[in-house]
Amino acid sequence: MWLATPRPTSVSVRAGSTALVGRDVEVSAIVKILLRRPAAVLIEGEPGMGRSRLLEELAGRREFASGRVLSGACQPMREPFPFGPLLEALRSVGDRPLGPLSPVAGVLRPLLPELAESLPPRPEPLADPCAERHRQFRAVRELLIACGPALVLIDDLQWADEDTRDLMRFLTAAMPAELAVVAAYRTGSPSAHGSAGIPFRTRANVQTARVTLGPLDVEAVGKLAEELLDLPRVSAPFTAKLHESTAGIPFVVEETLRALRDAAGRLPIGEVLSDRLLESLEVPISLREAITERLDALPEPAVRLACAAAVLAVPSEPAVIGELACLDGDALRSALLSTLDGGVLGELGGDRYGFRHPLARKAVYDTISGPERTLLHSRAIQVLAGQPVPPLTLLANHSRAAGRTEQWRHYAEAAADEAIAHGDTSRAIDLLQSVLAEASLGEDDIARLATKLSQVALRGFRPDVIETLERILEDLTDLRPSVRGTIRLSLGMLLVRTIGRLGRGRVEVEKAITELVDEPELAARGINLLAQPIDGLTPLSWHEVWMNRAREVFDRIEDPELRLALLGDRVSTQAHIGDGSAWTEFTELPDQGSGVAERVQLARLWCNLADAQSWAGHLARAEKLVTEGIRRATDAGALYAAGLAQGTRVRLDWVRGDWSGLAETTEQLRDTYPDLGPIVMECSLVLGGLAAVRGEFAAAQRHLTAASVHAPEHGPIPVVLSAAGVLIRVLLATDDVDGACAAADNAVTAARRKGVWVWAAALVPAAAEAYTRAGRWSEADAVVEEFARGIDGKDSPVSRVALLAGQAILLDARGKHPAAATVFDEAAAGYESLPMPYQAICARERAALCRLNAGRLTAGRLTAGQPTAGDRKAIEELTAAAEAYERLGATRDAGRCRHQLREHGAWAPSQRGRRGYGQELSPRELEVARMLSDGRTNREIADGLFLSPRTVEQHVAKVLRKLGARSRTDVARRMTTYAPATADR
């Protein structure tokens, strides 16, 4: 007997319907059909697909507001009321005047007493029941004709009684001209009254459609999560896991999200939805009831089979499930068909059967008594252990569930070894962590398992591993030095990757090196890490000491994987600091590894070298390296390297001007790795840069702070210095010259202390601008000259171009405008060749302004006026810069260019004339609407677009009117669904 296990007391509250998500295509198609009367639409779908919610959406559509919308639903009753759903729909038709009715309509008086005042007197009943029934059918049709334009919505047609189905057939066979009927029908389960059939046989003049609702896609699941969890955004991994866990079934998605929301006080929401988190959730009551109802309708052998499948927990072959349920032959086939027909199990491909989603499995699993569970898990061990390739992870899970602790430890460690060999890093970490959490392990077992965990953990990034390793080092004081050093080395390497723990991580690595005197190859890994100079303010000279030690130990190392690791890190480090020989050495390295470990090291090399080449300005190389590096790292299970490469990818997109959708992609990446410092900081740099060009200066400063711009000792110095360059320009844009100089002082000090000037390409031109604006000429000259010396002979194309930009800024500030324009042109050409389009446009803009200023001075006119003929080229260049900024998405810069053209008396309206946009937003109104959506004030919009406050007020009024928004805050909601009639104007 299957008994329910006790569950904790819980309260489940539903707050009404949610917004209909992911059904825009279906709704649009149905509405189009229903507007062409007469029309009949059948909506079908498995349980939970949202048929009822779709009917509710149709009922509220404004397209049908002028006519009657009549709704009814069939009920799963043993003896349903004749014509129940149609009478339920018709009882409200008296809320407005009806058309003329003949005496036959009076037969409906006993069935619709609510309409007594609107219906004719009841005629005498006919002696023939069939004739009387026909008269009732005619009366219903006549009443619907009298309703005029009407939409009838009937839900759960699978439960319709015979009378209702006959009436539906009668109506659809000869539909009134102004009638539209929509019926929803559940597939995948038999009707309580036999097969419901489909009573839709229409004539040729009737518009018909049959709509089958399938699962939601990943994007729709994410939107539903944002609404139900009341979050502005959920991460991509959360959405993907939620979609996988719910099979995209809307009802299951909603119930899972409600369970998460109800547990918000004790569970992390909006991050990574793990299997462990799902297992900790109580199955929502409504979902539990739905599953239990289906289970109760099954015969006893089918229930046994469903429970066996719930214990197995993964899709399995029928023979395996049957063996666990003690079923075979015809009994197994019959039971399997019953579970499929009853919607309990599903065929999931490859002759495997199981549950559509984990909560359905858990609902069935919870019906199994404790002793029966133990018995089934023990039997599952016997069944699975006898397979040709025993599934070790499943055997570990069943052993633990059966209470067989020693057996569980054996299988868990074996499964972890298997996962490590196959590059399945996350699974290996999970298994080793679970065993190490047991209090009864001996010290030798802990040492062995912790060593494995510490080594595999370096392939990925899991903050919880740091806590485990720290606990082991603290609790086990008698570990052999080599074991302690191995664990400590991995701990230090993980700490180095963690926000704010760089210094402590390096200390732990140095300690580990002293403990690993008898393990020179492991010590070499620590030495190699300390040779990496990219993070923190430790001078390059300190790292060079460790670089030399790494070279010394390299020749004594025999392990091919370690040799490849040291060689790869040396190549990427040399590339980072501008050594051109690194690329030649890379091209001579092997392209493939002989095992997983070597493939991991090659993946690390490609990813790290992509980062180095991107900072140097070899963007085409970096693009190829990062694409291939991510593929290699993913295939080899090098999750940490893959994550870093994704950070490089978004920064590459930023500098190359590929900004479409970049902010959303970058935010998702940052949210995926919230504790991984390098990725968070690189993403924050990109988000800060994108916010800056949109004029969102407060947001830009917030992101740049997260990029460690104010704490360079904790961040990757190329990121820090680049973030400082953006911050200085933001502060200058708001005329905060003192703040800009303070930011420049901090960043220049960091660059000098680090001693790697090729990383300062984004900083130096901005710092020179700030210093010249403040009249600090000596500092401006010094930073450009020091930068020139620091990059001399280095392989860094972007640094050479940045030097030109810095020199041009100095010339411009000293009033040498013709010379400055020439050097700005050279810088622009250099940026274009990389390509870095935003920087190139900035240089073109500055060159044009230099020419305009030179023309004014030459003419002896220092005030605004009409441009001379000699200024026309500059005006054309400045106009081209404005247009280029707009194409890129740098709206504030485009506004600045047009403002400068007006200041120079050179602004002229487009010769194409102004077009009318009607109710569609113009490009300028669209910019204003987006800024309103971000919560910007009129003053902030005016500053961002270089418009007057009065002009902004007019644009805001037009945006509110055209969008039909009730307030400024309502604009954000309406902009999520706004789409211009023509994409490209």
Side-chain angles (χ1 to χ4, degrees), residues 6 62 66 100 117 217 253 271 283 313 393-394 499 503 612 641 689 758 800:
R62 57 181 177 82
S66 60
E117 295 183 1
D217 59 20
V253 175
E271 297 179 3
V283 180
T393 301
L394 295 179
I499 296 175
V758 292
R800 292 193 293 273

Side-chain angles (χ1 to χ4, degrees), residues 23-43:
R23 302 298 190 198
D24 293 344
V25 172
E26 292 91 338
V27 170
S28 178
I30 293 171
V31 169
K32 186 176 180 180
I33 290 289
L34 296 179
L35 290 175
R36 300 163 64 186
R37 309 290 174 88
V41 176
L42 180 70
I43 300 173

Side-chain angles (χ1 to χ4, degrees), residues 677 680-686 688 700-712 714-724:
V680 169
M681 294 175 195
E682 196 151 30
C683 289
S684 297
L685 165 63
V686 172
Q701 294 192 56
R702 184 174 66 252
H703 289 308
L704 296 172
T705 298
S708 206
V709 71
H710 301 300
H714 296 309
I717 296 305
V719 172
V720 170
L721 300 184
S722 186

Side-chain angles (χ1 to χ4, degrees), residues 937-982:
T937 66
N938 281 13
R939 171 53 65 184
E940 289 170 333
I941 295 172
D943 291 342
L945 298 179
F946 289 90
L947 300 172
S948 71
R950 176 59 181 162
T951 300
V952 171
E953 288 177 7
Q954 294 171 349
H955 285 312
V956 169
K958 291 179 181 178
V959 166
L960 293 172
R961 175 176 57 79
K962 291 184 178 183
L963 292 180
R966 296 183 298 273
S967 64
R968 297 166 67 96
T969 55
D970 192 32
V971 171
R973 181 179 65 82
R974 295 182 180 273
M975 281 297 292
T976 60
T977 58
Y978 175 77
T982 302

Side-chain angles (χ1 to χ4, degrees), residues 170-182:
F170 180 83
L171 293 174
T172 56
M175 292 185 66
E178 295 184 286
L179 177 64
V181 176
V182 182

